[in-house]
Amino acid sequence: MQNSKAKMDEFKSKFLDILHKQTNRQLKIPAMGFSDYFIQTVTTDSSPSHEVDATDSAAATSSASGESNAQKSDQEILESIEQCYYSPDSNPQLYELKKVLNDGIDNELIEVTIAQLRTQQKVLTKQVLQNILEQRNACSSEFAAINDTQKKLEESLWTCQKARSYLNFARTNLTTTSLEILASYRKREVLKEVLDTLVAIKKLRTTDVEVQKLLADHNYSAAIALLLQCKSSAEAYMQFNCVQSLSKKLQETMLLMEFQLDTVLNEMVLGFDGRKYAKLQEAYKLANKSLMAMDQLHINYISAIHSSVNAVLRGYSDPGQDDQAKPLYEQLCEQLSVDKLLPCLISLCKTFWTILASYYQVVMWHNNYKLYGQEEEDSPDVYIQQKLKKGQSRVWNDILTKVCLFLQAAKLTALKYDQFIQVLSVVQRLKKVGQEFCGEQSEKLIETMQQQSEEFFRRYHICCVEEICLFLDNESWTQVDSFAHILQLPEFRSVRHTLRRHKSPTAALLASSNNSPISNNNCDELVSVHSQDGGSSIYGSYGYFLRFSEKSSPFDGGLDAAMLEEDILSGIVDEASCYFSEESDDEQKSLQSKEFDDTSNQLLVNNTALNVLRCIGRYLQMCKLLHCISPKIVSCMLELIDFYAYAVHEIFGKDAPVATDNMYTPRLEHRLRSVEANILSQIKLWPINFSSLANNELANPDTLYGLSQRIVAVEAGRSMIQQFHILQHYLNHLLPLAERPMLASYLEYSNYMLDLAKPVYTCVTSRVIDLSAILAQMAKVKWDVNHVIHQHSSYSDVLNRNIQSFAMCLEEIAKEVPVPSKHVWNSMAHVATHLLVEGFSNVKKCSAGGRALMQLDFANFMSFLELISNQKYPQHRSYVDVFIKTYYFAPDQFEQWIEQQRLGDEYSARQLTSLIQCICISDKRTRQRLLQLLDVGMANGVTTTTTPTTTPQKNNHGSVTGSNLSSVI
């Protein structure tokens, strides 16, 4: 204390001495040798007093230099001063002497240098004075501030002296009291610190209860914040044993808290709650574990997929199965019964939808809310976004793998048609969900379904053919009433509007041109997309994830008709295949009558043909759903039609008493042989026993040998093909471009059933006429008469009576079924004209009168036939006329005609041979040459008849036809 007092006294004496000295001094601003007048004269450039003060000798010497310097401004003069004058370490005098005397003594240079230096000094002095004057007010203000400071120092000195005196008094009089007060204050502070410590420890002890309350209220962020706060507070009191134990308990509570957060986070997988998830993310952010939480969330989604599928499959497995056994997922799929496949698949899809909807909402939440609010590349939000984007593909691929394994292991081929179509629809919706979820095209799912669909359709096609066999076996071959259009069939109602759109070639052309980029062989060529809520497209204004939540799904509401209108193997929206809601029956009939002109006419069909059309309708639905195998499906549609035609041919076209080989066109034979090769070998119900029909109706002359049944069979096939033509443009729309010529080539054969009708109707018309009797009567006619006969032969009357009887029977049959008169009478004309040619070819000798008789008989028959049938037969007339008129040909013309005929199939080789022998009976050389020409043509493989692959050698009665009858047709 004494040392401090001595230093204070010494400081005080020095300070007072300074103040005393400053007070006695008169502080003034130095004039620096200039008066106010001088200042004014200096600032004037042309001051006369300045010129007087200057020496005459200097003025005289530096007159030229002065004039030069006068022309320079003060700033230029200041800038001309060299830098050595500004350096404190330089010697200007020595520098100038060296510069002047460097080249010797030059008086003029010395004078110029002196004048220059004086000018510089003058300008510099003026500038310095100007700067001093500018700072004069600042200097005065500074001195005033110094005086003020001096006064304050005196006051402070007085205050210090007074304080010292008071302290001396207090030290001597108040020391004991002060110490007591200080001791009490210190004790109070210590007690306050102890109290704060106790309060903090009490708060630490009650933290667990408060944390549990916050967790119950799902306020996870507040619970984390409270735990972190208590943990930080505990670090300040770690010297207490109780706090150490509390700190360990807080650490355990923190771990339990994180476990509870993970549990709640796992609940988000199957039931997303936006508010709860926001609180979770805030809590993880406070705990600095947001990234770890995101990794854990993805693990939860993956594990949820694997655990949920097993739980669903166990729910549909056999209840008698051993619970201790834990079969693999594939084994569980294989153990499912057929009737549980579809419900199990729907349950799986609903479960997957719940998981996907939850993940989708997590993605949307993180798109809308940023946890850290930073846009940098290393921001945790960026990592979370990338993690979620990659997780979408991973989650979907895991689901896709499970679904594909289910479809491969399950017995889908054992399902019924409707069930399989529903499976396709369910998988289709799942595919659409995946496309909307992560943009995946699900090619693996498409490939799996394509394999399953091909296998299922192959089996289903055989079942359909066998079903047609059952219909054929029980067919009554009678007309079904009230059928006018395929849209009346329930199998075609779903495509009613689509067929109406594609009925015109222009619309089909526009559709194909619009879809040209996707008209190839890939599995996603077209799409037929329909929704389950009012028929709107699922690619409408809102997708599945906006229209449904995890509580509802696209797979709810049962398997309605709309689900059967979707394409499993498609991915691009095509407006031409969109679904429309069904109208009422009255609207449907009205629209059909307006859109299709042929609906007002009733079509002649039977039950088998209707069943074939129904099968085609089901095939069409599968074709819409399975575009990848649409060529196979369309080909099977055509096989159904060919199989019906083949069955009609086998039943009604092989009981003719004459050979009908030349009636088969190459295209007809090819289709019949194709059925034998591709279809008959796969079905078990063929051949069908038609003996009852053949022995009763088909052998009864009173019913014209079952002509009404034959007409129903043939005309039903024609109606079926006619209705199939309506599907052509829509099938082209469904087929890839490379496969469309196949369908076009098939439908180009428009006379398919008409060609088949020829042998069928010939089986009747060849029996109506007594061929053997007519040929016998023709053989008795004398053809080598020498005169012209004006009365036709008797066989012509017999033939006419047969024709008349046939016409009367047709009138009776027409009361039961519509008779295709043109084709039936054409068959009759064919049989009759070929009969006449056969009879004429059997003539050994014939004169000109005999040829005239032939023409008379033929003209009589044709006039009667055309009159009673009300038709003309130019082709059949020409066939007989040409054969008769060959007798009038010149030798060269006849030889040329034989050359042409041996290359054709109009007349048989036997007929031509008989004709040559008859005409050239007296010219052996010509006869031999023509016969040799005819034989050469046959030796080279050119026959005059179509070589049959199957020649019916026996009729249904078992009698072998004669050689002359077999060549009639």
Side-chain angles (χ1 to χ4, degrees), residues 15 81 105-106 271 302 320 353 409 427 450 496 551 602 644 681 713 728 747 794 859 861:
F15 188 72
I81 299 176
I105 298 173
D106 187 353
I302 300 302
W353 168 259
V427 177
Q450 181 178 353
R496 181 174 66 248
K551 296 181 180 179
Q602 183 175 341
Y644 175 84
S681 60
Q728 178 181 3
L747 295 178
S794 60
F861 166 73

Side-chain angles (χ1 to χ4, degrees), residues 652-688:
F652 301 106
K654 302 184 71 173
D655 58 338
V658 295
T660 56
D661 304 327
N662 60 344
M663 289 187 174
Y664 295 89
T665 62
R667 300 184 72 173
L668 178 60
E669 281 198 5
H670 172 73
R671 292 195 180 181
L672 296 177
R673 302 292 82 79
S674 176
V675 173
E676 291 181 351
N678 301 329
I679 301 179
L680 299 186
S681 60
Q682 300 181 17
I683 56 179
K684 301 177 182 179
L685 300 180
W686 192 269
I688 302 175

Side-chain angles (χ1 to χ4, degrees), residues 805-819:
S805 177
F806 178 71
M808 295 173 62
C809 293
L810 281 183
E811 291 179 358
E812 295 298 325
I813 294 176
K815 298 177 181 179
E816 301 177 4
V817 295
V819 177

Side-chain angles (χ1 to χ4, degrees), residues 285-334:
K285 179 181 178 181
L286 290 174
N288 197 21
K289 292 187 177 182
S290 297
L291 303 184
M292 294 178 60
M294 186 55 56
D295 296 336
Q296 182 63 39
L297 181 62
H298 281 80
I299 295 174
N300 293 341
Y301 275 107
I302 300 302
S303 61
I305 293 173
H306 293 272
S307 60
S308 60
V309 293
N310 291 330
V312 171
L313 286 175
R314 289 192 183 95
Y316 287 92
S317 60
D318 187 6
Q321 189 178 1
D322 187 7
D323 296 336
Q324 295 181 355
K326 294 183 178 180
L328 299 176
Y329 175 76
E330 294 83 353
Q331 296 175 343
L332 289 174
C333 296
E334 293 174 353

Side-chain angles (χ1 to χ4, degrees), residues 437-627:
F437 179 70
C438 60
E440 294 283 346
Q441 296 298 327
S442 306
E443 296 179 357
K444 184 178 180 181
L445 180 63
I446 295 174
E447 181 180 356
T448 301
M449 283 310 301
Q450 181 178 353
Q451 295 173 355
Q452 296 294 323
S453 300
E454 289 177 352
E455 180 64 23
F456 174 84
F457 185 76
R458 184 190 65 79
R459 182 191 65 83
Y460 180 72
H461 179 55
I462 296 175
C463 294
C464 287
V465 175
E466 292 180 347
E467 180 183 349
I468 295 174
C469 289
L470 294 177
F471 272 83
L472 288 171
D473 193 21
N474 297 276
E475 180 61 65
S476 61
W477 303 107
T478 56
Q479 180 181 5
V480 176
D481 297 331
S482 303
F483 179 78
H485 201 277
I486 55 174
L487 296 186
Q488 294 176 247
L489 301 177
E491 288 79 5
F492 289 92
R493 288 180 182 174
S494 62
V495 294
R496 181 174 66 248
H497 300 276
T498 307
L499 292 179
R500 195 171 290 121
R501 187 180 303 107
H502 287 277
K503 74 186 183 79
S504 64
T506 305
L509 182 60
L510 291 176
S512 63
S513 63
N514 292 334
N515 296 327
S516 58
I518 59 173
S519 297
N520 46 38
N521 289 325
N522 60 31
C523 293
D524 290 334
E525 178 190 359
L526 299 171
V527 68
S528 178
V529 185
H530 316 281
S531 71
Q532 64 181 13
D533 49 356
S536 60
S537 172
I538 65 171
Y539 283 134
S541 301
Y542 303 102
Y544 282 140
F545 287 97
L546 297 180
R547 290 190 291 136
F548 300 97
S549 63
E550 65 273 8
K551 296 181 180 179
S552 61
S553 72
F555 310 98
D556 293 335
L559 300 174
D560 54 9
M563 291 186 68
L564 306 182
E565 294 304 316
E566 302 180 1
D567 178 11
I568 173 60
L569 305 180
S570 65
I572 305 174
V573 175
D574 176 36
E575 182 184 358
S577 298
C578 290
Y579 173 81
F580 296 87
S581 60
E582 301 295 335
E583 300 93 348
S584 63
D585 294 339
D586 295 337
E587 293 175 344
Q588 176 181 347
K589 294 178 181 178
S590 175
L591 286 174
Q592 289 179 9
S593 62
K594 293 179 180 178
E595 293 291 338
F596 296 96
D597 298 334
D598 55 353
T599 57
S600 60
N601 299 324
Q602 183 175 341
L603 297 178
L604 197 158
V605 292
N606 53 34
N607 288 323
T608 304
L610 280 181
N611 187 67
V612 172
L613 289 176
R614 289 191 179 100
C615 291
I616 291 175
R618 293 194 291 269
Y619 283 19
L620 185 62
Q621 290 183 10
M622 296 188 70
C623 194
K624 290 174 60 180
L625 295 170
L626 302 168
H627 285 150

Side-chain angles (χ1 to χ4, degrees), residues 231-240 243:
K231 187 176 180 181
S232 177
S233 300
E235 293 179 356
Y237 305 103
M238 293 299 294
Q239 65 271 21
F240 303 105
V243 175

Side-chain angles (χ1 to χ4, degrees), residues 699-716:
N700 188 2
D702 296 335
T703 61
L704 278 183
Y705 307 97
L707 180 59
S708 62
Q709 288 85 349
R710 299 175 195 267
I711 290 174
V712 170
V714 173
E715 293 303 311

Side-chain angles (χ1 to χ4, degrees), residues 102-356:
N102 189 23
D103 296 331
I105 298 173
D106 187 353
N107 294 330
E108 185 178 355
L109 178 61
I110 293 173
E111 290 177 357
V112 170
T113 302
I114 292 173
Q116 183 180 0
L117 291 174
R118 285 177 178 175
T119 303
Q120 292 177 353
Q121 181 184 14
K122 182 179 71 172
V123 173
L124 181 62
T125 303
K126 183 175 70 173
Q127 186 65 33
V128 170
L129 179 61
Q130 185 176 354
N131 291 339
I132 291 173
L133 292 177
E134 290 176 356
Q135 300 296 327
R136 184 173 183 179
N137 293 332
C139 182
S140 300
S141 300
E142 188 66 25
F143 274 105
I146 292 173
N147 292 332
D148 187 37
T149 302
Q150 182 178 357
K151 292 179 181 179
K152 291 181 179 180
L153 288 175
E154 290 176 353
E155 294 176 357
S156 299
L157 179 60
W158 182 82
T159 301
C160 290
Q161 289 175 350
K162 186 176 180 180
R164 282 183 176 276
S165 63
Y166 287 152
L167 286 175
N168 290 331
F169 177 79
R171 184 179 59 182
T172 55
N173 296 309
L174 301 176
T175 301
T176 304
T177 305
S178 299
L179 291 176
E180 292 176 355
I181 293 173
L182 290 175
S184 299
Y185 179 79
R186 181 175 178 276
K187 185 178 181 180
R188 186 182 69 177
E189 293 296 324
V190 171
L191 290 175
K192 286 177 63 178
E193 185 178 352
V194 172
L195 182 60
D196 292 340
T197 302
L198 293 175
V199 171
I201 294 174
K202 181 181 179 182
K203 184 177 181 181
L204 292 176
R205 295 194 62 179
T206 58
T207 298
D208 189 37
V209 178
E210 294 181 5
V211 167
Q212 295 301 326
K213 291 181 179 179
L214 292 173
L215 290 178
D217 296 336
H218 305 292
N219 196 353
Y220 308 108
S221 58
I224 291 288
L226 180 59
L227 284 175
L228 294 177
Q229 181 182 357
C230 293
K231 187 176 180 181
S232 177
S233 300
E235 293 179 356
Y237 305 103
M238 293 299 294
Q239 65 271 21
F240 303 105
N241 294 332
C242 63
V243 175
Q244 293 179 2
S245 62
L246 284 175
S247 178
K248 293 181 181 178
K249 188 175 181 180
L250 287 175
Q251 188 67 27
E252 294 176 357
T253 305
M254 190 68 177
L255 294 177
L256 183 62
M257 172 78 174
E258 292 178 357
F259 176 78
Q260 200 163 357
L261 289 178
D262 292 340
T263 303
V264 178
L265 185 65
N266 191 29
E267 295 175 357
M268 296 293 104
V269 175
L270 297 177
F272 181 82
D273 187 342
R275 295 182 179 180
K276 190 182 295 186
Y277 186 77
K279 293 178 179 179
L280 275 177
Q281 289 298 328
E282 187 65 26
Y284 279 118
K285 179 181 178 181
L286 290 174
N288 197 21
K289 292 187 177 182
S290 297
L291 303 184
M292 294 178 60
M294 186 55 56
D295 296 336
Q296 182 63 39
L297 181 62
H298 281 80
I299 295 174
N300 293 341
Y301 275 107
I302 300 302
S303 61
I305 293 173
H306 293 272
S307 60
S308 60
V309 293
N310 291 330
V312 171
L313 286 175
R314 289 192 183 95
Y316 287 92
S317 60
D318 187 6
Q321 189 178 1
D322 187 7
D323 296 336
Q324 295 181 355
K326 294 183 178 180
L328 299 176
Y329 175 76
E330 294 83 353
Q331 296 175 343
L332 289 174
C333 296
E334 293 174 353
Q335 294 171 1
L336 285 175
S337 58
V338 177
D339 57 336
K340 294 181 179 180
L341 286 178
L342 183 59
C344 183
L345 177 61
I346 294 176
S347 298
L348 282 176
C349 291
K350 289 181 179 180
T351 303
F352 292 148
W353 168 259
T354 302
I355 296 173
L356 293 174

